[in-house]
């Protein structure tokens, strides 16, 4: 008996493929609809530990990226780029500064770029480095920021740079190349943007290091503006630190940085406030008197190149505005009282100002801040030093009246010219504390 057989008609290959495609299209559509977005596929790093990130984006100079994310990282965190010194590294910057501990407290993310070239110095010299998207280290650092922004939905209005020595120079460069990226920077022992420029491939500029390169404020500002021609947006604020005995990057660079950034930010080179927050320090603020002035400069008397010390990052953090203190310290009022009177004549006046400590602790060293009425200018004073002589003034104690015990008072005074308004200042703050005025 013969075995039954079934004849199958062979279908053309084109017909088979069309049928397969028709069947697969709904399945592929379903997969596409349910697949996670590409950004979500990027894995966040472990928290509370320094982690190297690879493949973070365009990186023409082969930098390494190290990242610290605290357990307490906030939604849409701020980002601080902490840039190391020559011979240093990202891990050395992590272990040698308190930025990670501050991140634990305030919830921001810290990027630690790390040089792989032999010198372990950042490129702040080449034409590529001194131009937006020109290549070299700044491009790699910008890629690191983009990676963090994408991965953690970082707040792009709160991105900051800070660095020591070579890292301070890179801070100047980053703020010049990417003014639209950074909100502020803090440079410890650096030089102005463009000061270290070379065209021969050298990483070192002896003339700049020795403090012999000087420019007018306009010339310095033009160097910064040339890094991103046509940019008209907001420029980042800048804080600069320098020791008077710096033998590596000489002290004149400090003054040149001030000239550069006051010009870039369009503020006067005359300090709006001058004080001494620590013995041997002179702090000047330009453009305003608050903690987030456009430019802040701290000079350390008798200190060399290695000036960075524990606690300075906290002061930079305050300048950034990331410590929760707002635009200025917000102490409770009522710890002081000020009585101010004036005696006027045609174009001048004499003011008497009595400060009383109504708090419960002794004040050792004080600064009294107030704003002169329009048209007034201090011509001389006693019991304090006064700077500037118009507008927002800070009176700083002299050697014999700097201590105010609870309930104790001190009277200071000044003479001023006026153009018609001879009134006393309406409000005062003592060491940042709002005083009761009478």
């Amino acid at each position: 008996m013969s075995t039954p057989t079934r004849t199958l008609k062979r279908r053309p290959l084109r017909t088979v493929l069309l049928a397969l495609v028709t069947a697969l299209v709904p399945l592929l559509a379903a997969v596409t609809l349910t697949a996670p977005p590409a950004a979500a596929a990027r894995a966040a790093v472990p928290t509370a530990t320094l982690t190297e990130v690879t493949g973070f984006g365009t990186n023409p100079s082969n930098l390494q990226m190290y990242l610290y994310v605290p357990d307490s990282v906030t939604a849409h965190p701020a980002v601080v780029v902490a840039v190391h010194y020559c011979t240093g590294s990202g891990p050395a910057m992590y272990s040698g500064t308190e930025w990670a501990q501050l991140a634990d407290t305030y919830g921001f993310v810290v990027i630690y770029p790390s040089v792989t070239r032999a010198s372990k110095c950042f490129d702040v010299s080449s034409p590529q480095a001194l131009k937006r998207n020109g290549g070299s280290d700044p491009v790699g650092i910008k890629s690191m920021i983009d990676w963090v922004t994408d991965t953690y939905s970082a707040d792009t209005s709160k991105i900051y740079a800070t660095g020591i020595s070579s890292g301070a120079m890179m801070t100047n460069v980053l703020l010049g190349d990417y003014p639209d990226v950074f909100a502020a920077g803090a440079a410890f022992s650096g030089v102005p943007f463009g000061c270290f420029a070379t065209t021969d491939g050298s990483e070192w500029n002896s003339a700049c290091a020795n403090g012999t390169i000087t420019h007018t404020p306009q010339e310095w500002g033009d160097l910064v503006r040339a890094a991103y021609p046509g940019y008209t947006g907001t420029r980042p604020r800048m804080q600069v630190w320098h020791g008077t005995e710096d033998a590596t990057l000489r002290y004149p660079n400090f003054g040149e940085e001030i000239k550069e950034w006051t010009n870039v930010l369009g503020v006067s080179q005359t300090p709006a406030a001058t004080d001494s927050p620590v013995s041997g320090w002179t702090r000047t603020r330009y453009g305003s008197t608050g903690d987030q002035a456009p430019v802040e400069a701290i000079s350390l008397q008798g200190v060399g190149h290695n000036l960075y010390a524990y606690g300075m990052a906290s002061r930079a953090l305050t300048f950034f505005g990331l410590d929760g203190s707002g635009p200025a310290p917000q102490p409770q009022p009522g710890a002081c009282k000020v009585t101010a009177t004036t005696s006027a004549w045609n174009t001048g006046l004499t003011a008497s100002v009595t400060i009383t400590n109504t708090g419960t602790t002794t004040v050792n060293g004080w600064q009294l801040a107030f704003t002169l009425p329009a048209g007034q200018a201090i011509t001389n004073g006693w019991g304090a030093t006064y700077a500037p002589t118009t507008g927002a003034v800070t009176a700083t104690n002299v050697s014999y009246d700097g201590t105010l015990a609870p309930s104790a008072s001190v009277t200071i005074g000044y003479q001023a010219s006026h153009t018609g308004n001879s009134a006393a200042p309406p409000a005062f703050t003592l060491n940042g504390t709002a005083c009761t005025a009478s």
Side-chain angles (χ1 to χ4, degrees):
M1 187 175 177
S2 62
T3 302
T5 62
R6 184 175 60 178
T7 302
L8 297 177
K9 184 177 181 180
R10 185 177 180 183
R11 301 171 68 189
L13 179 60
R14 181 177 178 181
T15 303
V16 173
L17 290 174
L18 181 62
L20 286 171
V21 170
T22 302
L24 284 172
V25 165
L27 178 60
L28 289 171
V31 171
T32 301
L33 290 172
T34 57
R42 180 174 286 168
V45 304
T47 59
T49 185
L50 186 68
T51 304
E52 183 176 4
V53 176
T54 58
F56 50 82
T58 305
N59 184 21
S61 54
N62 195 34
L63 297 178
Q64 291 175 289
M65 173 184 176
Y66 292 90
L67 190 65
Y68 183 81
V69 179
D71 286 331
S72 58
V73 63
T74 61
H76 310 296
V79 179
V80 173
V81 181
V83 193
H84 68 74
Y85 41 89
C86 281
T87 74
S89 67
M93 193 71 174
Y94 164 76
S95 61
T97 65
E98 67 267 37
W99 284 108
Q101 294 94 312
L102 291 170
D104 288 335
T105 300
Y106 296 104
F108 56 85
V109 174
V110 190
I111 299 171
Y112 298 94
S114 196
V115 170
T116 58
R117 65 176 63 89
S119 67
K120 302 298 182 180
C121 295
F122 284 91
D123 175 14
V124 296
S125 307
S126 72
Q128 293 78 18
L130 298 175
K131 181 180 179 181
R132 178 184 176 83
N133 298 331
S136 197
D137 296 347
V139 168
I141 294 173
K142 174 62 164 55
S143 295
M144 298 177 195
I145 295 168
D146 292 341
W147 191 95
V148 171
T149 298
D150 292 343
T151 305
Y152 291 93
S153 299
D155 185 341
T156 55
S157 70
K158 295 181 178 179
I159 296 175
Y160 306 88
T162 186
I164 302 169
S165 189
S166 178
M169 293 192 277
M170 178 52 72
T171 297
N172 279 265
V173 169
L174 289 172
L175 268 60
D177 285 357
Y178 296 102
D180 54 331
V181 172
F182 294 95
F188 296 84
S189 303
V191 304
F193 177 100
C195 184
F196 241 61
T198 59
T199 56
D200 60 1
S202 171
E203 296 178 29
W204 190 258
N205 185 321
S206 294
C208 178
N210 289 331
T212 62
I213 294 181
T214 61
H215 290 297
T216 66
Q218 183 68 35
E219 288 169 342
W220 279 124
D222 287 345
L223 285 174
V224 173
R225 287 181 285 269
Y228 187 3
Y231 178 72
T232 58
T234 301
R235 293 277 178 174
R237 298 177 297 108
M238 179 58 116
Q239 181 189 66
V240 294
W241 300 67
H242 222 101
T244 61
E245 301 303 314
D246 192 328
T248 302
L249 300 174
R250 298 284 182 176
Y251 186 67
N253 283 300
F254 178 64
E256 299 302 301
E257 283 181 292
I258 294 170
K259 287 160 61 176
E260 181 169 75
W261 291 105
T262 51
N263 180 267
V264 167
L265 287 154
V267 298
S268 171
Q269 290 182 69
T270 301
T274 302
D275 64 1
S276 181
V278 173
S279 178
W281 294 14
T282 300
R283 177 172 62 187
T284 47
R285 288 170 169 168
Y286 303 82
S288 74
T289 61
D291 284 344
Q292 280 90 61
V295 177
E296 180 173 275
I298 301 96
S299 172
L300 282 67
Q301 183 64 39
V303 176
H305 185 63
N306 297 323
L307 66 76
Y308 183 85
Y310 186 89
M312 291 180 178
S314 294
R315 292 180 180 273
L317 196 75
T318 297
F319 178 75
F320 292 166
L322 290 182
D323 62 352
S325 65
Q330 302 294 319
Q332 294 298 314
C336 52
K337 181 178 74 174
V338 174
T339 301
T341 60
T342 60
S343 176
W345 59 93
N346 290 342
T347 59
L349 62 88
T350 299
S352 177
V353 180
T354 299
I355 309 163
T356 303
N357 178 8
T358 57
T360 58
T361 59
T362 297
V363 174
N364 291 304
W366 52 261
Q367 292 183 317
L368 186 73
F370 54 90
T371 300
L372 290 172
Q376 292 187 15
I378 294 174
T379 54
N380 62 77
W382 51 92
T385 58
Y386 299 84
T389 57
T390 60
V393 177
T394 299
T396 303
N397 70 271
V398 290
S399 59
Y400 58 81
D401 63 3
T403 299
L404 275 175
S407 300
S409 298
V410 62
T411 298
I412 63 174
Y414 56 86
Q415 285 187 328
S417 60
H418 69 83
T419 57
N421 186 348
S422 60
F428 299 85
T429 60
L430 184 69
N431 290 357
T433 298
C435 300
T436 302
S438 62

